[in-house]
Amino acid sequence: EVQLQASGGGLVQAGGSLRLSCTASGFPFDDYAISWFRQAPGKERVGVSCISSSDAKTYYADSVKGRFTISRDDNKGTVYLQMNSLKPEDTAVYYCAADRWVCTVVGGPQFLRLGGMDYWGKGTLVTVSS
């Protein structure tokens, strides 16, 4: 059974940090790029960051560049999103998704391709208070 589970969300004050985890099972994790998306209340789901398979190349939306760091531990089947200097506008449900091999960056507000992901995890809520 394929599972992709996001965890680590919570309530934090502005300027604080959280680390999200995306844990996978049931598919060859090493072969998949893992992306993080977020969806704020009343807004569309947008890409935040992605890490490719094999060479672990990373990509970040401008809104999080310099504050968020994505990494992967293939031995644990887990991708992490370290979020520092959090802002109230980071408040959203965060989702992880898996796509074969590479990250598909489309740029603009969407940043990452939303459609065509092979697997999606359930979201984890991040709330940043001012």
Side-chain angles (χ1 to χ4, degrees):
E1 179 187 4
V2 170
Q3 287 191 333
L4 203 59
Q5 180 66 50
S7 62
L11 174 63
V12 64
Q13 287 189 331
S17 298
L18 281 175
R19 188 177 79 160
L20 304 184
S21 298
C22 175
T23 302
S25 61
F27 63 95
F29 183 78
D30 298 17
D31 293 346
Y32 281 77
I34 304 296
S35 297
W36 285 98
F37 292 81
R38 67 186 181 186
Q39 188 165 15
K43 295 189 177 181
E44 294 185 348
R45 191 173 299 187
V46 297
V48 172
S49 182
C50 183
I51 186 166
S52 66
S53 65
S54 65
D55 62 357
K57 191 171 181 180
T58 59
Y59 304 84
Y60 299 94
D62 286 343
S63 58
V64 306
K65 200 172 293 182
R67 300 188 298 122
F68 290 12
T69 302
I70 191 170
S71 61
R72 65 188 298 154
D73 185 338
D74 287 345
N75 290 328
K76 295 183 178 180
T78 301
V79 165
Y80 304 98
L81 186 68
Q82 178 66 44
M83 306 187 298
N84 298 330
S85 303
L86 283 162
K87 304 175 180 179
E89 51 263 43
D90 295 318
T91 294
V93 177
Y94 284 70
Y95 300 88
C96 58
D99 197 11
R100 204 71 185 258
W101 301 122
V102 299
C103 301
T104 303
V105 177
V106 298
Q110 182 61 42
F111 184 59
L112 298 172
R113 184 187 67 178
L114 183 63
M117 290 289 172
D118 289 332
Y119 308 114
W120 282 93
K122 293 182 180 179
T124 185
L125 176 63
V126 172
T127 303
V128 184
S129 63
S130 56

